[in-house]
Amino acid sequence: MLTTAVATAGLTASATGPARAAHGGHEGRGGQGDVADALRALPGLRLVEERPDAEPGYRHFVLGLRQPVDHTDPAAGTFEQRLTLLHTALDAPTVLFSTGYHAVLTPRRTEPAVLLGANQLQVEHRHFGTSVPAGRPDRTHLTIRQAADDHHRVVRLLRRLYPGAWLSTGASKGGMATVYHRRFHPRDVDGTVVYSAPHNVDDRDDSAYLRFLETVGTAPAREAVKAAQRRMLLHRAELVARYEDWAAATGDTFRLVGSADRAFEVAVLRVLFMFWQRAAPADLAAIPGPRATAGELYAWLDSWAGLPLYADTAARRYVPYWYQIGTQLGYGDIPTAHVADLLRHPGSLTARTFVPPEIPLAFDSAAMPDIDRWVRRHGSRLLFVYGDQDPSVAEFFRPGGADSRVLWVPGGHHGVDLADLPAADRAWAEEALLRWTGTHRLTRRRR
């Protein structure tokens, strides 16, 4: 592995902030003018491959950037962070896209990139996917500040090729990572669009989540979901047997969570939240009723709670997520009183269930209040887009800085876009993109 000192020397970039250097001719597909050659010339950056799946007008690159394991300690070593680039033009705006999780290799542009006809640079979160230090990674370096510093170094380096306006964006946990980047490096980009991002300021107080889940939708629909949960737990033996059969057929196991029975119970509890997170009106009629068979109950639970998520193959991929939950991000509570008499593993709906016992979890209760203070007092050019039927955002960001706003989609859930906003709010949002980037017009929307 390269030493951090070498990587840091190679990645020293120009001054922080929205510098505007003139661009050279790197648009073509051959010779000195090829953008691929320009990417290869950037220190610390490796062009892994160019994929042939980009839409017309774009090129799709998979990249690796050498990053410090610990931005405060050069002796801690380095790791290669996975990036993807959808390139259209060096003088176009650039959208920095944070996933919060693993990188997605499907060349799909985010809504801001579509509207602006922009380049798009996706950053895989540290400790997810291939962006993991070699050997046994030290999870103590999986913090919101270290990830923000990753994003900062990405921006500083790629601005050498893309000197125009930059926006950042992300949805859900990716949106959270986008806000954390702005907190610690507020001048890296010219504006930020955040979709459906939760903001659990005080992990000791989950009353907002509980209140939301007790009032969302209609009373009959809420009771139907709760009744379905009870029926699943009453049919536990048959449903767990189906779950175990699925695991045996796929070669999966339940060593991390402990047993198929415990994984099943966690899924049943979480389905209350996950159903309301994405349910459309048409889904209410499909909630399993009193005559539902065990097979129908199992299929419904799987479709909404995703039973493979709690078996080892998937669960181990998301250990970094649960580690962040248990050390800084916090986790909203879910009503359980209506099934308390049927639970065999009470207290399992915590980060500890999904993090191996040898990995310590010490919660930093100051991290989210610090983010909250910055967003409320200084968070400028921040646009938050939320659905008012999404339990994920029972607690949400409230920006207080200049040219920032929170916009709500009536009846919207966890996958809302600017396009779903009421006309006046959509117009404000689109005008903000133009204002922040100095762009004269938006491109035709592709849905």
Side-chain angles (χ1 to χ4, degrees), residues 14 19 315 391 443:
S14 55
T443 61

Side-chain angles (χ1 to χ4, degrees), residues 1 149 239 337:
M1 177 181 289
D149 290 350
L239 298 186

Side-chain angles (χ1 to χ4, degrees), residues 89-105:
L90 295 180
D91 57 358
T94 300
V95 171
L96 181 71
F97 170 39
S98 299
T99 69
Y101 297 99
H102 316 81
V104 179
L105 296 186

Side-chain angles (χ1 to χ4, degrees), residues 22-74:
H23 74 271
H26 298 291
E27 305 287 8
R29 286 187 172 273
Q32 295 182 344
D34 187 37
V35 69
D37 294 332
L39 290 167
R40 292 187 185 96
L42 291 175
L45 190 70
R46 181 170 71 95
L47 199 164
V48 177
E49 64 172 325
E50 179 172 0
R51 297 171 68 90
D53 52 1
E55 62 188 293
Y58 279 81
R59 296 175 69 183
H60 185 196
F61 298 98
V62 179
L63 309 169
L65 176 62
R66 188 59 56 183
Q67 290 275 28
V69 168
D70 179 357
H71 289 272
T72 68
D73 180 11

Side-chain angles (χ1 to χ4, degrees), residues 416-442:
V416 293
D417 288 327
L418 300 181
D420 302 316
L421 290 165
D425 288 341
R426 184 172 68 251
W428 188 94
E430 294 182 347
E431 288 167 4
L433 297 186
L434 296 175
R435 184 166 63 251
W436 296 344
T437 60
T439 306
H440 298 296
R441 63 182 178 86
L442 300 177

Side-chain angles (χ1 to χ4, degrees), residues 236 257 262-263 265-267 269-270 322 331 333-337 339-340 342-355 361:
R236 179 193 295 263
V257 173
R262 191 181 188 201
E265 186 169 292
V266 169
L269 294 178
R270 292 192 80 207
W322 289 104
Y331 193 64
D333 205 356
I334 295 172
T336 59
V339 293
L342 300 175
L343 299 181
R344 293 180 182 172
H345 312 278
S348 292
L349 199 55
T350 66
R352 183 77 272 172
T353 297
F354 300 98
V355 177
L361 290 179

Side-chain angles (χ1 to χ4, degrees), residues 91-444:
D91 57 358
T94 300
V95 171
L96 181 71
F97 170 39
S98 299
T99 69
Y101 297 99
H102 316 81
V104 179
L105 296 186
T106 304
R108 181 177 181 274
R109 287 186 291 159
T110 59
E111 189 177 37
V114 170
L115 290 170
L116 294 167
N119 306 294
Q120 179 172 290
L121 185 65
Q122 176 187 199
V123 181
E124 182 171 72
H125 201 287
R126 61 167 45 211
H127 285 245
F128 287 84
T130 66
S131 302
V132 183
R136 187 182 295 272
D138 184 352
R139 302 287 184 186
T140 60
H141 298 130
L142 177 53
T143 66
I144 59 173
R145 179 59 191 266
Q146 294 282 358
D149 290 350
D150 291 342
H151 285 68
H152 177 57
R153 298 180 84 238
V154 168
V155 173
R156 291 178 69 195
L157 183 68
L158 271 296
R159 272 194 184 277
R160 298 184 182 189
L161 285 188
Y162 301 102
W166 280 61
L167 290 184
S168 57
T169 193
S172 195
K173 185 174 181 291
M176 295 158 68
T178 298
V179 176
Y180 307 152
H181 172 212
R182 286 291 307 277
R183 156 65 182 96
F184 296 110
H185 302 285
R187 296 182 63 241
D188 271 0
V189 297
D190 300 290
T192 298
V193 182
V194 178
Y195 301 85
S196 304
H199 182 41
N200 193 350
V201 181
D202 183 354
D203 195 47
R204 298 166 299 180
D205 180 7
D206 289 327
S207 58
Y209 296 97
L210 296 172
R211 188 165 53 250
F212 192 102
L213 287 167
E214 295 290 10
T215 56
V216 65
T218 65
R222 292 193 300 272
E223 290 307 310
V225 176
K226 291 181 177 181
Q229 287 179 289
R230 285 194 63 83
R231 279 190 287 277
M232 286 183 280
L233 292 170
L234 288 168
H235 288 82
R236 179 193 295 263
E238 184 174 352
L239 298 186
V240 170
R242 287 175 179 261
Y243 201 8
E244 291 173 330
D245 289 345
W246 164 83
T250 59
D252 222 327
T253 54
F254 298 95
R255 295 188 182 94
L256 180 59
V257 173
S259 69
D261 191 76
R262 191 181 188 201
F264 167 78
E265 186 169 292
V266 169
V268 171
L269 294 178
R270 292 192 80 207
V271 78
L272 178 66
F273 183 96
M274 297 175 80
F275 175 80
W276 288 113
Q277 188 180 48
R278 295 190 179 275
D283 296 313
L284 303 182
I287 300 170
R291 297 183 179 180
T293 66
E296 290 168 339
L297 289 168
Y298 185 90
W300 186 82
L301 176 64
D302 189 24
S303 67
W304 289 103
L307 288 170
L309 291 174
Y310 313 101
D312 287 335
T313 299
R316 292 193 183 280
R317 292 181 68 225
Y318 287 96
V319 168
Y321 164 72
W322 289 104
Y323 179 86
Q324 289 191 277
I325 292 292
T327 55
Q328 289 188 311
L329 306 186
Y331 193 64
D333 205 356
I334 295 172
T336 59
H338 59 290
V339 293
D341 59 314
L342 300 175
L343 299 181
R344 293 180 182 172
H345 312 278
S348 292
L349 199 55
T350 66
R352 183 77 272 172
T353 297
F354 300 98
V355 177
E358 65 271 17
I359 299 178
L361 290 179
F363 192 74
D364 176 7
S365 60
M368 291 303 103
D370 170 74
I371 297 294
D372 188 63
R373 283 190 298 272
W374 180 83
V375 170
R376 288 176 182 264
R377 298 174 184 176
H378 308 292
S380 62
R381 291 190 173 188
L382 292 170
L383 171 58
F384 294 92
V385 185
Y386 291 125
D388 66 8
Q389 296 298 295
D390 180 6
S392 303
V393 297
E395 290 189 68
F396 56 92
F397 289 96
R398 303 171 187 266
D403 207 9
S404 292
R405 190 168 291 191
V406 176
L407 300 178
W408 293 89
V409 175
H413 295 84
H414 201 57
V416 293
D417 288 327
L418 300 181
D420 302 316
L421 290 165
D425 288 341
R426 184 172 68 251
W428 188 94
E430 294 182 347
E431 288 167 4
L433 297 186
L434 296 175
R435 184 166 63 251
W436 296 344
T437 60
T439 306
H440 298 296
R441 63 182 178 86
L442 300 177
T443 61
R444 184 179 298 278

